[in-house]
């Protein structure tokens, strides 16, 4: 293979984005949409290359009960120590930002819960080639539809909507076979110094924290692709 051909092959390989995220994180869903818009913007540029995404587990509130008795304002004020009025303002603000990227958050219907089983389901879905679809389904179920994403039976219903074997999903979640994979993601987050989500890692070397504007994501992708060309030239 000539140097030119080798450079072309290297630059055409997918850019890998590893994302640490939680199901119960409003900014993670917003960040997901903004990243998708950024990828679309980048893909429209000449010489763009494919993008590969992998999600990793991160629990913002691992001590949350599966069945929290209260609404989101009560959770933020009681569990997080945030005054109710401030919590209400926070939710109003994030709902407005979500709406700006086409997401219709419904905090009145939202069922706050522990997300470890949802993360286990994400790993199950990844093994069956449906991780990205499962992530979108879980986030929509939680923030838009008011579905419960902490109980095994409810999670199995959501998985079945994507064509996954419901009985096998129940078996997997009851056995906890993916708990180690969830904990491994969390340890890696600690090693990388990730303290909040969403957190995006491009090609294992560039970290982007938070729900940045689509243009920022597009710029990082263009930078990564450009550096590949420079290295291969």
């Amino acid at each position: 293979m000539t140097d030119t051909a080798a450079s072309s092959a290297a630059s055409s390989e997918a850019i890998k984005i590893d994302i640490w995220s939680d199901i119960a994180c409003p900014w993670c869903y917003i960040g997901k949409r903004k990243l998708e818009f950024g990828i679309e913007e980048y893909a429209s540029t000449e010489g763009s290359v494919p993008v590969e995404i992998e999600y990793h587990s991160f629990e913002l509130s691992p001590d949350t009960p599966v069945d929290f008795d209260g609404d989101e304002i009560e959770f933020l004020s009681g569990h997080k120590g945030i005054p109710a009025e401030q919590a209400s303002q926070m939710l109003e603000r994030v709902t407005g930002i979500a709406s700006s990227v086409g997401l219709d958050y419904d905090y009145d219907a939202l069922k706050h819960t522990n997300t470890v089983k949802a993360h286990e389901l994400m790993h199950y879905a990844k093994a069956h080639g449906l991780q990205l679809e499962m992530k979108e389904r879980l986030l929509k179920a939680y923030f838009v539809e008011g579905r419960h994403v902490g109980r095994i039976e409810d999670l199995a219903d959501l998985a079945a909507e994507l064509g996954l074997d419901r009985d096998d999903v129940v078996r997997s979640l009851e056995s906890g076979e993916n708990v180690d994979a969830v904990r491994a993601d969390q340890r890696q987050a600690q090693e990388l110094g990730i303290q909040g989500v969403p957190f995006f890692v491009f090609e294992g070397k560039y970290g982007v924290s938070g729900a940045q504007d689509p243009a920022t994501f597009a710029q990082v992708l263009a930078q990564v692709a450009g550096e590949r060309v420079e290295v291969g030239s």
Side-chain angles (χ1 to χ4, degrees):
M1 183 182 290
T2 64
D3 289 344
T4 300
S7 174
S8 177
S11 64
S12 64
E13 293 177 0
I15 295 174
K16 179 69 180 297
I17 308 176
D18 291 282
I19 307 172
W20 274 262
S21 170
D22 194 5
I23 307 303
C25 165
W27 296 105
C28 290
Y29 203 3
I30 293 168
K32 181 178 185 294
R33 277 294 181 274
K34 289 188 173 184
L35 173 66
E36 290 164 353
F37 294 152
I39 291 173
E40 289 178 5
E41 181 179 333
Y42 164 71
S44 68
T45 62
E46 183 178 355
S48 64
V49 299
V51 174
E52 176 188 350
I53 293 172
E54 181 176 352
Y55 279 97
H56 300 274
S57 305
F58 192 102
E59 291 179 89
L60 287 170
S61 300
D63 58 339
T64 303
V66 172
D67 291 299
F68 176 76
D69 185 19
D71 60 22
E72 188 68 1
I73 292 177
E74 289 171 318
F75 175 81
L76 291 172
S77 59
H79 201 72
K80 295 293 187 181
I82 299 173
E85 183 178 351
Q86 181 183 347
S88 179
Q89 293 172 348
M90 288 172 56
L91 296 183
E92 184 177 348
R93 174 173 175 265
V94 75
T95 298
I97 295 173
S99 179
S100 73
V101 294
L103 300 174
D104 187 17
Y105 282 9
D106 186 352
Y107 276 107
D108 290 334
L110 185 146
K111 295 177 177 61
H112 206 90
T113 186
N114 188 288
T115 59
V116 67
K117 286 298 176 185
H119 285 296
E120 290 179 45
L121 178 56
M122 284 288 294
H123 280 278
Y124 179 94
K126 180 170 69 172
H128 291 78
L130 289 171
Q131 191 197 41
L132 300 187
E133 293 85 351
M134 195 74 254
K135 182 67 171 182
E136 176 67 24
R137 189 67 195 94
L138 287 167
L139 287 167
K140 183 178 181 180
Y142 185 71
F143 283 105
V144 178
E145 299 174 345
R147 301 274 290 272
H148 203 299
V149 300
R151 296 188 296 237
I152 289 175
E153 293 295 325
D154 297 272
L155 289 168
D157 287 342
L158 292 170
E161 290 181 18
L162 299 182
L164 292 168
D165 185 320
R166 190 185 187 285
D167 290 340
D168 195 53
V169 169
V170 171
R171 175 205 60 77
S172 174
L173 296 180
E174 287 182 344
S175 71
E177 65 181 4
N178 286 302
V179 170
D180 287 346
V182 172
R183 301 309 178 208
D185 278 350
Q186 294 168 332
R187 285 195 300 273
Q188 189 176 6
Q190 290 180 334
E191 292 167 2
L192 292 172
I194 298 172
Q195 297 180 328
V197 289
F199 195 92
F200 308 81
V201 178
F202 292 74
E203 294 285 85
K205 59 181 180 178
Y206 293 113
V208 176
S209 178
Q212 302 293 329
D213 288 336
T216 299
F217 290 120
Q219 182 179 4
V220 175
L221 287 167
Q223 180 180 339
V224 170
E227 290 177 357
R228 282 184 174 186
V229 172
E230 291 177 5
V231 170
S233 62

